[in-house]
Amino acid sequence: MERAKARGAHIYGEIAGYGSTCEAYHRVRLEECGEEPRAPSVWRWRKPAFRPAKCSTSATMARRPSSNDRIETRAVKLAFNGHAYKLAGSSLKSLIGHPQGACGAAGVAATLLAMRDGVVPPTINVDEPDPECDLDYVPAESRRLDVEYAVANCIAFGSKNSAAGVETGRMN
């Protein structure tokens, strides 16, 4: 951080923590219980001030098959408990498609830009939501929201799961 400031870099935010797991349950499906995708979101964060309960938004994958959407919803609920219903979730993949190996980087970049601009991008094409996917996925239209803390989830093929806790870039 000090070196970035010294060279005059614009700081969008700071990674406050990161977690990763690989359950190797199936080559494309997730295990139904949601425990492994939950785990990265509750790792001990590097910065003590960062706590999931302070988060305003969560970047989700929201991909098909719909069973994965339900499992990811379950994982967010397990990670955030009752606070999960206060998160504004957003699926970048619904806007740009599946970037495969770049999905984590794209999710973190979109999260940082949402934090910078105070606008959470929408999750599009949610015409008939699954009743088990009952969190706030910011459907159809973006939403103005002041975000200081966020979690970018990346749940990928082969059951590779990661999450980055991001803190606002309002530190310039």
Side-chain angles (χ1 to χ4, degrees):
M1 177 66 76
E2 290 75 28
R3 289 193 311 247
K5 286 181 179 180
R7 70 175 192 277
H10 178 81
I11 300 167
Y12 289 88
E14 183 176 6
I15 300 294
Y18 173 83
S20 187
T21 64
C22 182
E23 65 182 299
Y25 173 74
H26 187 272
R27 64 182 179 81
V28 292
R29 286 185 26 238
L30 301 169
E31 189 173 12
E32 286 290 325
C33 68
E35 279 296 323
E36 284 295 316
R38 170 208 61 94
S41 294
V42 294
W43 285 82
R44 184 178 307 145
W45 300 107
R46 186 171 56 84
K47 297 190 75 170
F50 186 91
R51 295 286 176 260
K54 288 185 171 183
C55 291
S56 302
T57 188
S58 174
T60 59
M61 293 308 294
R63 63 203 181 285
R64 297 290 175 244
S66 62
S67 63
N68 286 343
D69 293 339
R70 288 193 310 273
I71 295 165
E72 185 168 7
T73 297
R74 191 172 299 129
V76 170
K77 289 177 182 179
L78 287 168
F80 290 92
N81 298 311
H83 188 70
Y85 291 96
K86 297 176 183 175
L87 295 173
S90 182
S91 170
L92 180 64
K93 187 179 157 210
S94 75
L95 297 164
I96 67 170
H98 198 315
Q100 298 291 326
C103 63
V108 170
T111 300
L112 288 169
L113 293 175
M115 294 170 84
R116 179 195 71 187
D117 298 341
V119 177
V120 178
T123 300
I124 62 170
N125 300 321
V126 183
D127 301 322
E128 295 179 35
D130 184 318
E132 291 185 54
C133 298
D134 60 347
L135 300 177
D136 178 7
Y137 297 107
V138 188
E141 294 183 24
S142 60
R143 182 181 305 157
R144 289 232 167 256
L145 184 66
D146 187 36
V147 178
E148 188 175 353
Y149 299 97
V151 170
N153 296 319
C154 181
I155 298 173
F157 291 139
S159 302
K160 295 171 208 65
N161 313 296
S162 12
V166 184
E167 197 174 347
T168 189
R170 295 186 191 104
M171 46 191 89
N172 278 322

